[in-house]
Amino acid sequence: MTGCSVEEATCGGGEYPVLSVGGTGSACVSNDEEPPKGYTRYPEGKVPEHVGDEWDTYWQTHTVDEDGKIVEVPQGG
């Protein structure tokens, strides 16, 4: 055992996760960069940290619209 967590981190060290505006896609961005066009930071306090955690699961059915409002993703979206 190496002491590593069994949980898979959403992003690697030195990165933070971003959410696709209007969709459920996500990406990882270097801490010293802004999100690329079409992506935004997750709302404070609602950032997924590990694959399958509470917020990772939540963002599979929700997204942020162009106004920054949290909305449900249409089924099949």
Side-chain angles (χ1 to χ4, degrees):
M1 295 295 275
T2 61
C4 292
S5 172
V6 178
E7 296 176 312
E8 182 179 345
T10 301
C11 290
E15 297 179 319
Y16 66 94
V18 292
L19 175 66
S20 172
V21 175
T24 58
S26 63
C28 294
V29 177
S30 177
N31 285 341
D32 59 355
E33 295 179 16
E34 289 299 313
K37 183 175 175 127
Y39 286 83
T40 188
R41 294 176 186 263
Y42 284 92
E44 189 173 337
K46 298 182 179 184
V47 181
E49 295 182 14
H50 296 96
V51 174
D53 72 11
E54 173 188 7
W55 293 116
D56 181 57
T57 302
Y58 177 83
W59 291 112
Q60 291 175 20
T61 57
H62 294 77
T63 190
V64 175
D65 67 15
E66 293 178 359
D67 298 320
K69 182 179 174 187
I70 296 173
V71 295
E72 278 194 58
V73 176
Q75 193 167 12

